[in-house]
PDB file of all heavy atoms in Angstrom:
ATOM      1  N   LYS W1557     -19.028  50.879   1.735  1.00  0.00           N
ATOM      2  CA  LYS W1557     -19.013  49.478   2.202  1.00  0.00           C
ATOM      3  C   LYS W1557     -18.617  48.539   1.051  1.00  0.00           C
ATOM      4  O   LYS W1557     -17.772  47.658   1.212  1.00  0.00           O
ATOM      5  CB  LYS W1557     -20.434  49.118   2.695  1.00  0.00           C
ATOM      6  CG  LYS W1557     -20.550  47.697   3.169  1.00  0.00           C
ATOM      7  CD  LYS W1557     -20.179  47.497   4.661  1.00  0.00           C
ATOM      8  CE  LYS W1557     -20.361  46.077   5.048  1.00  0.00           C
ATOM      9  NZ  LYS W1557     -19.772  45.674   6.319  1.00  0.00           N
ATOM     10  N   SER W1558     -19.186  48.811  -0.179  1.00  0.00           N
ATOM     11  CA  SER W1558     -18.766  47.990  -1.320  1.00  0.00           C
ATOM     12  C   SER W1558     -17.247  48.115  -1.575  1.00  0.00           C
ATOM     13  O   SER W1558     -16.621  47.100  -1.853  1.00  0.00           O
ATOM     14  CB  SER W1558     -19.493  48.496  -2.591  1.00  0.00           C
ATOM     15  OG  SER W1558     -20.871  48.329  -2.456  1.00  0.00           O
ATOM     16  N   PHE W1559     -16.768  49.317  -1.449  1.00  0.00           N
ATOM     17  CA  PHE W1559     -15.366  49.536  -1.700  1.00  0.00           C
ATOM     18  C   PHE W1559     -14.551  48.676  -0.699  1.00  0.00           C
ATOM     19  O   PHE W1559     -13.594  48.048  -1.150  1.00  0.00           O
ATOM     20  CB  PHE W1559     -15.051  51.036  -1.456  1.00  0.00           C
ATOM     21  CG  PHE W1559     -13.597  51.344  -1.607  1.00  0.00           C
ATOM     22  CD1 PHE W1559     -12.987  51.427  -2.843  1.00  0.00           C
ATOM     23  CD2 PHE W1559     -12.829  51.638  -0.487  1.00  0.00           C
ATOM     24  CE1 PHE W1559     -11.634  51.717  -2.979  1.00  0.00           C
ATOM     25  CE2 PHE W1559     -11.475  51.937  -0.589  1.00  0.00           C
ATOM     26  CZ  PHE W1559     -10.891  51.986  -1.873  1.00  0.00           C
ATOM     27  N   LEU W1560     -14.917  48.666   0.537  1.00  0.00           N
ATOM     28  CA  LEU W1560     -14.138  47.895   1.532  1.00  0.00           C
ATOM     29  C   LEU W1560     -14.244  46.428   1.305  1.00  0.00           C
ATOM     30  O   LEU W1560     -13.230  45.711   1.388  1.00  0.00           O
ATOM     31  CB  LEU W1560     -14.691  48.257   2.915  1.00  0.00           C
ATOM     32  CG  LEU W1560     -14.327  49.600   3.487  1.00  0.00           C
ATOM     33  CD1 LEU W1560     -14.936  49.829   4.844  1.00  0.00           C
ATOM     34  CD2 LEU W1560     -12.742  49.715   3.591  1.00  0.00           C
ATOM     35  N   ILE W1561     -15.409  45.953   0.918  1.00  0.00           N
ATOM     36  CA  ILE W1561     -15.561  44.490   0.652  1.00  0.00           C
ATOM     37  C   ILE W1561     -14.643  44.178  -0.587  1.00  0.00           C
ATOM     38  O   ILE W1561     -13.966  43.142  -0.592  1.00  0.00           O
ATOM     39  CB  ILE W1561     -17.046  44.161   0.331  1.00  0.00           C
ATOM     40  CG1 ILE W1561     -17.866  44.317   1.626  1.00  0.00           C
ATOM     41  CG2 ILE W1561     -17.161  42.734  -0.211  1.00  0.00           C
ATOM     42  CD1 ILE W1561     -19.337  44.166   1.396  1.00  0.00           C
ATOM     43  N   ASN W1562     -14.701  45.020  -1.621  1.00  0.00           N
ATOM     44  CA  ASN W1562     -13.974  44.706  -2.822  1.00  0.00           C
ATOM     45  C   ASN W1562     -12.440  44.703  -2.547  1.00  0.00           C
ATOM     46  O   ASN W1562     -11.672  43.892  -3.093  1.00  0.00           O
ATOM     47  CB  ASN W1562     -14.293  45.707  -3.954  1.00  0.00           C
ATOM     48  CG  ASN W1562     -15.687  45.395  -4.490  1.00  0.00           C
ATOM     49  OD1 ASN W1562     -16.278  44.366  -4.289  1.00  0.00           O
ATOM     50  ND2 ASN W1562     -16.225  46.369  -5.236  1.00  0.00           N
ATOM     51  N   ILE W1563     -12.045  45.631  -1.704  1.00  0.00           N
ATOM     52  CA  ILE W1563     -10.617  45.596  -1.345  1.00  0.00           C
ATOM     53  C   ILE W1563     -10.249  44.266  -0.644  1.00  0.00           C
ATOM     54  O   ILE W1563      -9.279  43.628  -0.929  1.00  0.00           O
ATOM     55  CB  ILE W1563     -10.263  46.800  -0.395  1.00  0.00           C
ATOM     56  CG1 ILE W1563     -10.352  48.088  -1.184  1.00  0.00           C
ATOM     57  CG2 ILE W1563      -8.877  46.657   0.266  1.00  0.00           C
ATOM     58  CD1 ILE W1563      -9.220  48.291  -2.164  1.00  0.00           C
ATOM     59  N   ARG W1564     -11.137  43.904   0.315  1.00  0.00           N
ATOM     60  CA  ARG W1564     -10.865  42.673   1.085  1.00  0.00           C
ATOM     61  C   ARG W1564     -10.834  41.443   0.115  1.00  0.00           C
ATOM     62  O   ARG W1564     -10.062  40.548   0.329  1.00  0.00           O
ATOM     63  CB  ARG W1564     -11.946  42.478   2.085  1.00  0.00           C
ATOM     64  CG  ARG W1564     -11.513  41.590   3.273  1.00  0.00           C
ATOM     65  CD  ARG W1564     -12.596  41.402   4.275  1.00  0.00           C
ATOM     66  NE  ARG W1564     -13.691  40.687   3.687  1.00  0.00           N
ATOM     67  CZ  ARG W1564     -14.925  40.702   4.152  1.00  0.00           C
ATOM     68  NH1 ARG W1564     -15.231  41.442   5.156  1.00  0.00           N
ATOM     69  NH2 ARG W1564     -15.893  39.991   3.545  1.00  0.00           N
ATOM     70  N   TRP W1565     -11.659  41.456  -0.893  1.00  0.00           N
ATOM     71  CA  TRP W1565     -11.716  40.350  -1.835  1.00  0.00           C
ATOM     72  C   TRP W1565     -10.486  40.281  -2.776  1.00  0.00           C
ATOM     73  O   TRP W1565     -10.083  39.268  -3.224  1.00  0.00           O
ATOM     74  CB  TRP W1565     -12.958  40.435  -2.751  1.00  0.00           C
ATOM     75  CG  TRP W1565     -14.202  39.892  -2.102  1.00  0.00           C
ATOM     76  CD1 TRP W1565     -14.320  39.410  -0.813  1.00  0.00           C
ATOM     77  CD2 TRP W1565     -15.466  39.730  -2.752  1.00  0.00           C
ATOM     78  NE1 TRP W1565     -15.627  39.020  -0.651  1.00  0.00           N
ATOM     79  CE2 TRP W1565     -16.352  39.234  -1.746  1.00  0.00           C
ATOM     80  CE3 TRP W1565     -15.966  40.029  -3.963  1.00  0.00           C
ATOM     81  CZ2 TRP W1565     -17.675  38.940  -2.023  1.00  0.00           C
ATOM     82  CZ3 TRP W1565     -17.264  39.787  -4.212  1.00  0.00           C
ATOM     83  CH2 TRP W1565     -18.135  39.259  -3.282  1.00  0.00           C
ATOM     84  N   ASN W1566      -9.938  41.454  -3.044  1.00  0.00           N
ATOM     85  CA  ASN W1566      -9.004  41.527  -4.179  1.00  0.00           C
ATOM     86  C   ASN W1566      -7.534  41.758  -3.776  1.00  0.00           C
ATOM     87  O   ASN W1566      -6.648  41.411  -4.557  1.00  0.00           O
ATOM     88  CB  ASN W1566      -9.448  42.585  -5.176  1.00  0.00           C
ATOM     89  CG  ASN W1566     -10.697  42.199  -5.950  1.00  0.00           C
ATOM     90  OD1 ASN W1566     -10.626  41.379  -6.819  1.00  0.00           O
ATOM     91  ND2 ASN W1566     -11.829  42.815  -5.579  1.00  0.00           N
ATOM     92  N   LEU W1567      -7.289  42.359  -2.668  1.00  0.00           N
ATOM     93  CA  LEU W1567      -5.919  42.736  -2.328  1.00  0.00           C
ATOM     94  C   LEU W1567      -4.983  41.587  -2.244  1.00  0.00           C
ATOM     95  O   LEU W1567      -5.237  40.662  -1.474  1.00  0.00           O
ATOM     96  CB  LEU W1567      -5.951  43.553  -1.002  1.00  0.00           C
ATOM     97  CG  LEU W1567      -4.708  44.374  -0.691  1.00  0.00           C
ATOM     98  CD1 LEU W1567      -4.553  45.473  -1.713  1.00  0.00           C
ATOM     99  CD2 LEU W1567      -4.754  44.930   0.742  1.00  0.00           C
ATOM    100  N   PHE W1568      -3.926  41.581  -2.999  1.00  0.00           N
ATOM    101  CA  PHE W1568      -2.892  40.541  -3.021  1.00  0.00           C
ATOM    102  C   PHE W1568      -3.447  39.134  -3.425  1.00  0.00           C
ATOM    103  O   PHE W1568      -2.809  38.173  -3.314  1.00  0.00           O
ATOM    104  CB  PHE W1568      -2.190  40.390  -1.685  1.00  0.00           C
ATOM    105  CG  PHE W1568      -1.500  41.644  -1.221  1.00  0.00           C
ATOM    106  CD1 PHE W1568      -1.675  42.143   0.062  1.00  0.00           C
ATOM    107  CD2 PHE W1568      -0.670  42.376  -2.077  1.00  0.00           C
ATOM    108  CE1 PHE W1568      -1.073  43.308   0.518  1.00  0.00           C
ATOM    109  CE2 PHE W1568      -0.061  43.526  -1.681  1.00  0.00           C
ATOM    110  CZ  PHE W1568      -0.244  44.011  -0.402  1.00  0.00           C
ATOM    111  N   ARG W1569      -4.702  39.113  -3.801  1.00  0.00           N
ATOM    112  CA  ARG W1569      -5.260  37.836  -4.164  1.00  0.00           C
ATOM    113  C   ARG W1569      -4.551  37.151  -5.324  1.00  0.00           C
ATOM    114  O   ARG W1569      -4.411  35.927  -5.347  1.00  0.00           O
ATOM    115  CB  ARG W1569      -6.796  37.954  -4.454  1.00  0.00           C
ATOM    116  CG  ARG W1569      -7.505  36.630  -4.633  1.00  0.00           C
ATOM    117  CD  ARG W1569      -8.992  36.826  -4.725  1.00  0.00           C
ATOM    118  NE  ARG W1569      -9.372  37.952  -5.469  1.00  0.00           N
ATOM    119  CZ  ARG W1569      -9.424  38.006  -6.792  1.00  0.00           C
ATOM    120  NH1 ARG W1569      -9.041  36.994  -7.513  1.00  0.00           N
ATOM    121  NH2 ARG W1569      -9.816  39.113  -7.388  1.00  0.00           N
TER     122      ARG W1569
END
Side-chain angles (χ1 to χ4, degrees):
K1557 178 88 180 169
S1558 296
F1559 176 76
L1560 287 176
I1561 292 172
N1562 287 345
I1563 289 289
R1564 202 180 67 203
W1565 277 5
N1566 289 287
L1567 196 65
F1568 301 131
R1569 185 169 43 76

